[in-house]
Amino acid sequence: MQKLTNQERLRPWMGFALFAFVMLFFVFVCGPLQEHLGLVGLVLTEILFLTIVIVFCLIRKISIKEVLPMKKISFKDIMGCIFLLAGSFPLSLLMVVITSIIVPSSTSEAEALSDTLYGSMNYITTVLVIALLPAICEESMHRGLLLSCFRSLKKDWLIVLIIGLFFGINHLSVLRFATTFMLGMVLSYVVVKKNNILLSMFIHFMNNLISATAGYLSSTEVAKPISQAMDSVEISTATASMSQFVGSFILICTLSPLFIAIGMKLLNPEKHRRRNFLIAGILSTVLFISGLGITIANSTFGMLLNSTITYDITEEYKENSTLEFDVDEERQAVVVFELQDSQGDYTVKIDGDNGSNILDVEVPSDGLRLGIYYVPLQPDHYTVTIVAGDNAIGETPTFDIAIS
């Protein structure tokens, strides 16, 4: 990696010391700021990061232009960054799912973070605070000042690993550690190979823009029907429920290794080898086979019930108990149901022959008439009962249910 003109003024031990200072500063200064000032505290945190970079460079008499190297960006560089992002972003989602399975309690922090970030901001403010500010200020700290301290190391991969690890730890999040660690390595790789912090800022901005846009839309009228339906959803963080989705997320990541290999070739063509595409192809094949296998296994061996019924609601016939299933051994299950072509009130019950009541819930009356519940099941014979209210008489609802 290209060294600084005054390399002797920045050494690896300084990088570790600086990171320790940043973490202490973040915990004891930035944390309280965010807790007491909310959005303003979040903005101040980013600005303080940038301020630390500038002040340190002035004290050590290091050129800010060298710590934050900026060069003209070519079209090939942009495409390389886009391919790296296209490859790494799906992997980040997979890592979040895997982390939530390994550490179920970690998902609660995601709900709290979403409420904090998207509860009161319009879209422009969301983009500025969640995407633009971190892309500038966090990159200046991590891929700028901290990375510059390790330029004397001869192994580029070691620099990428250390700065990626710093970035993951800095977020103080169990759920997001793996994904921020990987993103940190991708961003560090770009700066190590191109010595242009504008590229890492671009990737960081685009990555956060995707997340910010999705988070904002999920909290607005655009997603209101889904939100109303999900108000009735008991979302459990148990391993069994989340593991049902692993296969699908692995399939989404099938092309990630190939995209990353293409991005690396575009950004660093002189060091690229044909075997990189061979390795990427093998990894993509493994991901595809694994994802498909897990998905099929979950569908084939985990499905207890998957049915659709349509019937008429009359004064005499307001209950339907034609759906039954058996459980041979104790297990956890996910119950998903949806009512269509109906406006009246409905209740869904699941009862065991031994007298156990597993589920007794009202179907949401607004938006999507959808329910998702996580339930424990004991060995028993179970009956699903749909109870219609008096205002549903005359309707012909369609009821879809899947239990796995």
Side-chain angles (χ1 to χ4, degrees), residues 95-116:
M95 289 179 179
V96 170
V97 172
I98 293 176
T99 301
S100 69
I101 293 173
I102 298 174
V103 189
S105 59
S106 64
T107 55
S108 60
E109 73 179 58
E111 297 173 10
L113 182 65
S114 179
D115 292 339
T116 300

Side-chain angles (χ1 to χ4, degrees), residues 161-296:
L161 180 64
I162 292 173
I163 303 303
L165 186 61
F166 283 176
F167 194 62
I169 295 173
N170 186 227
H171 284 76
L172 295 177
S173 168
V174 174
L175 183 65
R176 294 189 296 155
F177 171 75
T179 182
T180 50
F181 175 37
M182 187 187 72
L183 176 62
M185 288 196 295
V186 170
L187 297 171
S188 301
Y189 170 84
V190 172
V191 175
V192 165
K193 296 303 180 183
K194 302 301 294 185
N195 200 39
N196 188 354
I197 201 169
L198 291 177
L199 294 176
S200 68
M201 288 181 176
F202 169 73
I203 297 177
H204 198 153
F205 173 77
M206 293 303 298
N207 180 85
N208 286 16
L209 179 64
I210 295 172
S211 300
T213 301
Y216 177 79
L217 290 178
S218 68
S219 64
T220 63
E221 293 294 322
V222 175
K224 186 174 181 180
I226 297 177
S227 298
Q228 290 174 332
M230 295 304 289
D231 284 341
S232 69
V233 176
E234 291 183 6
I235 301 178
S236 172
T237 57
T239 300
S241 61
M242 288 304 297
S243 62
Q244 309 263 344
F245 304 102
V246 172
S248 299
F249 277 96
I250 293 177
L251 285 174
I252 292 173
C253 295
T254 296
L255 295 179
S256 289
L258 289 173
F259 286 157
I260 291 174
I262 294 173
M264 293 173 67
K265 175 177 173 58
L266 292 172
L267 290 169
N268 191 29
E270 62 275 6
K271 296 293 184 179
H272 191 79
R273 300 291 181 270
R274 290 184 178 179
R275 66 182 180 183
N276 292 352
F277 280 117
L278 176 61
I279 295 173
I282 293 174
L283 291 175
S284 289
T285 302
V286 171
L287 286 171
F288 177 75
I289 294 175
S290 301
L292 187 62
I294 293 174
T295 301
I296 293 175

Side-chain angles (χ1 to χ4, degrees), residues 19-35 45 49 169-172:
F19 180 67
F21 169 78
V22 168
M23 289 304 301
L24 290 173
F25 186 81
F26 184 81
V27 171
F28 293 105
V29 177
C30 300
L33 279 176
Q34 294 181 25
E35 182 179 354
T45 295
F49 274 2
I169 295 173
N170 186 227
H171 284 76
L172 295 177

